[in-house]
Amino acid sequence: MRIRIDGTSTEIAYALAELRRLLPVASVSEPMATDQPYRWRIYLNTNPARTI
């Protein structure tokens, strides 16, 4: 699954930490600037759910 996160650097860091806690994250893209100042966009890909 591909997830897009938009926000300030602090918002993105918090969201990424929470998503890594809940989902197995495969990769995270480089931050991309948006048309608004101090706003960034990243994409992250998740792996299938872990089986125990």
Side-chain angles (χ1 to χ4, degrees):
M1 173 179 14
R2 187 172 181 164
I3 300 172
R4 182 179 85 181
I5 303 173
D6 293 339
T8 63
S9 58
T10 305
E11 292 169 341
I12 289 175
Y14 178 76
L16 189 56
E18 289 297 312
L19 285 171
R20 279 190 168 157
R21 190 172 58 84
L22 299 172
L23 299 170
V25 174
S27 65
V28 178
S29 71
E30 292 291 322
M32 295 175 268
T34 61
D35 56 347
Q36 299 174 352
Y38 304 107
R39 304 292 278 180
W40 299 92
R41 174 176 295 151
I42 65 166
Y43 292 95
L44 67 101
N45 294 320
T46 61
N47 285 333
R50 295 181 200 138
T51 57
I52 298 176

